[in-house]
Amino acid sequence: MGLVEKLGVHLENREQLAPVAARILSYVILTGKRGATFEDLVSLLCASKSTISTHLNHLQDLNKIEYFTKTGDRKKYFVINKDTIVQHVDRMISHWQEEREVHIEIKSYKDKQNNEKIENEDEKFDLTFHNDYIMFIDEASSSVKALREKLINNQFKI
């Protein structure tokens, strides 16, 4: 339950979710393919049935979770929607691309200042940080794009 709480706080902030919805999502993530039942959530999160139901419906409306049923069993088993992970990865890549573009502009400006305006070598901008940061973003983006492809091609059993 400690990990449910820790992940819940993280998801609450990152996904802008209500505290109970974030705890539900974190528990669903941690149960994996087995899935979490409504009864599990009521019991483990110590919340009312109506509260759990409201937040489960909201998470389904947001396409963050989905459910499956088992033959002969009327329960719903809630699991993470793989598309949620892909969407998060897409937002991450987009954010990094924006940062990359800003750093390229800043680097270009500083480079121009170094070449055209600043004569004293001691006062020139050091562009090492920007070069390294842009390289980091390129490498991280490449890795995350590879992860995204594996998700899309069902190479993970989430």
Side-chain angles (χ1 to χ4, degrees):
M1 286 310 296
L3 186 54
V4 168
E5 182 64 22
K6 187 174 187 173
L7 179 57
V9 169
H10 173 74
L11 293 171
E12 186 180 336
N13 293 321
R14 187 184 85 192
E15 302 293 327
Q16 300 299 299
L17 293 172
V20 174
R23 291 347 174 254
I24 289 171
L25 186 57
S26 67
Y27 184 75
V28 167
I29 289 169
L30 294 173
T31 57
K33 294 182 285 186
R34 172 174 59 95
T37 66
F38 178 80
E39 294 78 13
D40 293 339
L41 295 166
V42 169
S43 170
L44 291 164
L45 298 178
C46 300
S48 70
K49 289 180 179 182
S50 66
T51 298
I52 296 295
S53 179
T54 298
H55 290 293
L56 276 173
N57 288 331
H58 181 63
L59 289 168
Q60 288 176 92
D61 290 343
L62 294 173
N63 292 320
K64 295 198 178 296
I65 62 172
E66 56 192 10
Y67 70 87
F68 66 90
T69 57
K70 297 177 182 178
T71 305
D73 187 354
R74 293 177 47 192
K75 292 181 183 179
K76 293 179 181 177
Y77 294 85
F78 295 93
V79 293
I80 190 78
N81 182 343
K82 182 185 74 168
D83 292 340
T84 296
I85 301 168
V86 172
Q87 291 166 6
H88 173 67
V89 167
D90 288 344
R91 284 191 308 268
M92 192 184 320
I93 291 168
S94 176
H95 173 77
W96 285 347
Q97 192 59 38
E98 289 172 17
E99 274 200 46
R100 183 183 190 281
E101 291 169 11
V102 168
H103 275 274
I104 287 173
E105 282 187 52
I106 293 169
K107 181 184 162 214
S108 176
Y109 168 81
K110 289 180 176 181
D111 191 37
K112 186 175 181 179
Q113 294 298 307
N114 283 349
N115 293 324
E116 296 176 8
K117 307 270 183 187
I118 304 172
E119 294 178 13
N120 185 343
E121 287 296 318
D122 292 340
E123 294 176 1
K124 289 191 175 193
F125 290 104
D126 181 2
L127 303 177
T128 307
F129 170 76
H130 297 292
N131 291 330
D132 289 351
Y133 194 70
I134 291 165
M135 184 171 40
F136 161 75
I137 289 173
D138 290 344
E139 291 171 359
S141 294
S142 178
S143 293
V144 171
K145 286 175 184 175
L147 176 68
R148 183 185 187 283
E149 285 304 310
K150 288 180 179 179
L151 282 166
I152 290 172
N153 295 325
N154 293 316
Q155 293 178 345
F156 297 115
K157 303 290 186 213
I158 297 174

